[in-house]
Amino acid sequence: RAARRRAGLRGRRAAARAGAADVGEADFEAEVLQADKPVLVKYWATWCGPCRLAAITCDQIAKEYGETLKVVSVETDPNPELVERYGVYGLPTFIVFKDGEVVEGSKKEGMLSKEKMLEYLESCGVAGMAA
């Protein structure tokens, strides 16, 4: 029974990793700024409760819209340079990048439901997001 439970946990963890990819200061340029499609960046911290909920939504969107949108997560504590560079003051914070640039007006703080996240992405010029 315990072995099955552990196997189930490993499977769920692998499925979660298949969603939003973790990026940091070392690979931010390659993964975000040089991406060939729009990128949703979620800034989060381990101690942030709403960030855990945002992770679920972001993973769902990454799985469902992965062909047109890349979704990545930046943990704030080990990446202070990215936090400062993009003015992240509250968590979770979402920023959309397109063609290596921040989409004007795309920085948004606070938890969003999946429906609101899709509306937000559509308002940032990421086509095909509205339900």
Side-chain angles (χ1 to χ4, degrees):
R1 210 189 243 166
R4 267 187 278 162
R5 202 171 334 130
R6 281 194 301 274
L9 284 174
R10 280 194 300 272
R12 283 194 295 260
R13 287 184 189 132
R17 283 193 301 273
D22 293 323
V23 299
E25 292 167 0
D27 55 355
F28 190 85
E29 183 171 343
E31 295 295 326
V32 177
L33 302 180
Q34 296 176 6
D36 60 355
K37 55 187 162 186
V39 182
L40 170 63
V41 179
K42 175 193 67 166
Y43 289 84
W44 68 284
T46 56
W47 45 262
C48 168
C51 295
R52 290 186 208 117
L53 295 173
I56 294 167
T57 302
C58 288
D59 285 344
Q60 290 174 344
I61 288 172
K63 290 172 190 170
E64 293 174 28
Y65 298 95
E67 291 185 19
T68 57
L69 176 72
K70 184 174 187 175
V71 182
V72 301
S73 294
V74 174
E75 187 177 356
T76 56
D77 292 337
N79 296 290
E81 185 180 304
L82 292 174
V83 170
E84 186 176 331
R85 184 185 316 161
Y86 295 105
V88 175
Y89 302 113
L91 296 176
T93 291
F94 305 97
I95 303 176
V96 177
F97 289 77
K98 204 172 191 181
D99 300 322
E101 301 287 330
V102 173
V103 172
E104 188 175 338
S106 72
K107 187 162 80 170
K108 190 157 195 74
E109 294 179 6
M111 179 54 202
L112 298 173
S113 67
K114 183 178 176 186
E115 180 181 305
K116 293 291 183 190
M117 179 67 76
L118 294 174
E119 290 173 9
Y120 156 72
L121 290 166
E122 187 80 23
S123 76
C124 292
V126 182
M129 292 293 129

